[in-house]
Amino acid sequence: ISVTSADVVMGTVVGSGNYMNNTQATIEAVANEGYGFVQWNDGNTQNPRTFTVISDSAFVATFDAKYTISVTSADVVMGTVVGSGKFMNNTQTTIEATPNDGYAFVQWNDLNTENPRTILVTSDATYTATFMTITAIEQVTAETLNLRIENGTILCDGDMRIYDLIGRDVTHQNGLLQGVYMVRVDNLVVKVMVK
């Protein structure tokens, strides 16, 4: 049984040797720092991998880069985040910001407003969530925002984003369910109840 690494800079392998017919052999790929095991040359992704020896066989382990995704909150008093970790190159992962009571999620540092948000990992990256204070709608005059609710839809004359209570952007969702929503208009966030 021959076991080799496609790139010894990325990782090494163990398990090569002579085995009796119909005995069990175990092979393993060991990734170096900053890399992760992808698969064996036959597409199998088990690692370590145990199989029954029935013939001479050659196994090649492939590796790829592993990147660090850092997810931070611009203000931990206003909200928290999850999703940090090390992930394989070209894989997807999800990051999420959760606003604390009295606050609403605004956006990530790259101006993206999706929350939760799925990202494609291609390099080390940092995502910082920003939050803002919620102002009760009773403190805002109708003239300020011209905010209204028609047939379960929140309408406004300004640039508006709508979030549910856990911070998900539901601006383009048709027919909002009954409940409380955070509406951001320009630099103001108000709490609105859809009945």
Side-chain angles (χ1 to χ4, degrees):
I1 298 299
S2 168
V3 189
T4 58
S5 169
D7 187 333
V8 293
V9 171
M10 295 185 180
T12 57
V13 292
V14 292
S16 289
N18 295 316
Y19 296 85
M20 294 295 293
N21 187 42
N22 283 319
T23 59
Q24 296 283 295
T26 299
I27 60 177
E28 185 173 3
V30 181
N32 292 332
E33 182 69 30
Y35 300 96
F37 168 74
V38 177
Q39 65 180 16
W40 300 100
N41 55 308
D42 60 358
N44 189 299
T45 57
Q46 289 180 315
N47 188 42
R49 176 182 179 183
T50 300
F51 57 93
T52 302
V53 176
I54 56 173
S55 65
D56 290 339
S57 300
F59 298 92
V60 180
T62 56
F63 302 89
D64 203 344
K66 216 171 191 182
Y67 293 114
T68 300
I69 299 298
S70 299
V71 187
T72 61
S73 170
D75 188 333
V76 293
V77 172
M78 293 185 176
T80 57
V81 293
V82 292
S84 292
K86 287 188 173 290
F87 303 93
M88 291 297 296
N89 184 39
N90 284 316
T91 58
Q92 290 189 329
T93 188
T94 300
I95 61 176
E96 185 169 2
T98 304
N100 293 330
D101 286 344
Y103 302 96
F105 169 75
V106 177
Q107 64 187 14
W108 300 100
N109 54 305
D110 60 358
L111 309 183
N112 187 297
T113 58
E114 290 178 54
N115 187 43
R117 175 183 179 185
T118 300
I119 56 173
L120 178 64
V121 178
T122 57
S123 64
D124 290 338
T126 298
Y127 297 89
T128 303
T130 55
F131 302 89
M132 67 187 334
T133 304
I134 295 168
T135 304
I137 195 166
E138 294 78 24
Q139 297 171 284
V140 181
T141 63
E143 294 77 31
T144 305
L145 300 179
N146 194 14
L147 198 62
R148 59 206 179 277
I149 300 173
E150 295 176 10
N151 300 321
T153 301
I154 301 171
L155 302 173
C156 176
D157 291 341
D159 180 25
M160 175 183 68
R161 304 299 297 184
I162 305 170
Y163 304 91
D164 63 15
L165 286 179
I166 60 172
R168 290 178 299 196
D169 189 335
V170 293
T171 304
H172 301 294
Q173 183 173 309
N174 290 327
L176 295 173
L177 299 174
Q178 291 182 350
V180 177
Y181 296 88
M182 304 306 150
V183 179
R184 177 166 63 93
V185 182
D186 300 322
N187 291 320
L188 186 67
V189 175
V190 296
K191 186 182 289 186
V192 176
M193 179 172 286
V194 176
K195 296 180 180 180

